[in-house]
């Protein structure tokens, strides 16, 4: 057994020390599409320990497996455009002051086509002239979900005619998932947040 280490408030689990259920989840995470996507932050350290929100999932592997599968589906099998998806995630990161989420998804946002001006506008909570109307609606929906925990009838109607109700349902689930990750990263004092924060004075 390897020397135990901590990762924030949690034990940092080495691949050699995992139970059968933990090992199965570990393989699902490291073999998932997220592991093969270009990433701003590493998925594991040099010894194979999971980083970011994924180490915490190993502590409850049955539930963690379901959570990571939701994330994989939302990121790689959803119907929202890449720009809409990454705008929504960046809004969650901003509202929840989650630097790790922000750094990871600024990188993904650039790959989805967000410009530096658009990213700066999100960070400052401002509009940008190049955002499409449906992208502005996505930002409005995220803000309402995080601050009001509800959507007005006018917003639901706008979503129905703009992005469609299936996409609106997906967007709500996306916000809930990344809000959960932000909460986990904060509560377990996941390392990396302060390093990321130095580059994000508004978060």
């Amino acid at each position: 057994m390897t020397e135990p280490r901590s990762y924030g408030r949690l034990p940092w689990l080495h691949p050699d020390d995992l139970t059968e259920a933990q090992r199965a989840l570990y393989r699902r995470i490291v073999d998932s599409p997220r592991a093969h996507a270009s990433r701003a932050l590493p998925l594991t350290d040099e010894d194979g320990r999971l980083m970011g929100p994924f180490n915490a999932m190993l502590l409850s592997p049955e539930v963690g497996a379901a959570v990571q599968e939701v994330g994989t589906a939302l990121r790689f099998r959803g119907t929202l455009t890449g720009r809409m998806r990454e705008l929504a995630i960046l809004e969650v990161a901003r509202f929840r002051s989650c630097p790790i989420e922000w750094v990871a998804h600024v990188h993904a946002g650039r790959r989805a086509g967000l410009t530096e001006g658009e990213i700066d506008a999100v960070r400052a909570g401002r509009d940008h002239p190049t955002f499409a109307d449906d992208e502005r609606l996505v930002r409005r929906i995220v803000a309402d979900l995080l601050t009001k925990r509800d959507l007005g009838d006018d917003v639901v109607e706008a979503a129905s005619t703009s992005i469609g109700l299936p996409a609106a349902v997906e967007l709500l689930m996306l916000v809930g998932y990344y809000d959960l990750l932000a909460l986990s990263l904060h509560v377990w004092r996941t390392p990396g947040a302060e390093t990321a924060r130095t580059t994000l004075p508004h978060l």
Side-chain angles (χ1 to χ4, degrees):
M1 180 174 291
T2 58
E3 187 70 21
R5 295 174 60 184
S6 63
Y7 192 60
R9 288 174 161 172
L10 298 177
W12 201 2
L13 302 179
H14 190 279
D16 292 344
D17 301 329
L18 301 180
T19 66
E20 183 176 347
Q22 289 171 333
R23 190 171 297 110
L25 173 55
Y26 180 93
R27 293 307 329 165
R28 290 175 70 173
I29 292 171
V30 299
D31 292 338
S32 71
R34 65 168 59 87
H36 305 292
S38 175
R39 297 175 57 86
L41 299 173
L43 189 63
T44 65
D45 76 344
E46 63 276 7
D47 294 321
R49 294 178 177 89
L50 289 173
M51 300 178 69
F54 302 107
N55 178 67
M57 295 180 188
L58 293 177
L59 272 295
S60 180
E62 291 79 9
V63 174
V67 171
Q68 81 83 30
E69 179 57 28
V70 169
T72 299
L74 287 168
R75 278 201 68 190
F76 301 103
R77 300 197 294 272
T79 60
L80 294 168
T81 69
R83 282 176 57 93
M84 287 181 183
R85 182 184 66 248
E86 297 306 326
L87 275 173
I89 297 168
L90 289 175
E91 287 287 4
V92 175
R94 178 175 72 87
F95 271 94
R96 296 305 188 225
S97 297
C98 186
I100 292 177
E101 218 165 61
W102 179 271
V103 169
H105 287 278
V106 160
H107 180 72
R110 291 185 183 118
R111 293 179 63 238
L114 295 178
T115 67
E116 295 306 314
E118 290 170 336
I119 290 168
D120 288 343
V122 174
R123 177 164 48 193
R126 295 185 286 100
D127 190 19
H128 194 275
T130 57
F131 286 138
D133 287 344
D134 55 3
E135 292 170 343
R136 291 188 177 93
L137 177 61
V138 164
R139 295 183 68 192
R140 165 76 185 280
I141 289 171
V142 175
D144 284 358
L145 289 173
L146 294 176
T147 59
K148 301 177 181 179
R149 311 300 290 176
D150 196 7
L151 297 177
D153 290 342
D154 59 330
V155 178
V156 173
E157 183 177 352
S160 178
T161 58
S162 176
I163 64 174
L165 283 178
V169 169
E170 182 183 319
L171 178 58
L172 186 149
M173 293 179 181
L174 183 80
V175 171
Y177 174 77
Y178 280 95
D179 200 14
L180 168 64
L181 292 194
L183 181 64
S184 177
L185 290 164
H186 174 71
V187 169
W188 304 126
R189 304 297 192 266
T190 303
E194 290 310 312
T195 300
R197 194 185 299 276
T198 61
T199 66
L200 299 166
H202 296 293
L203 291 184

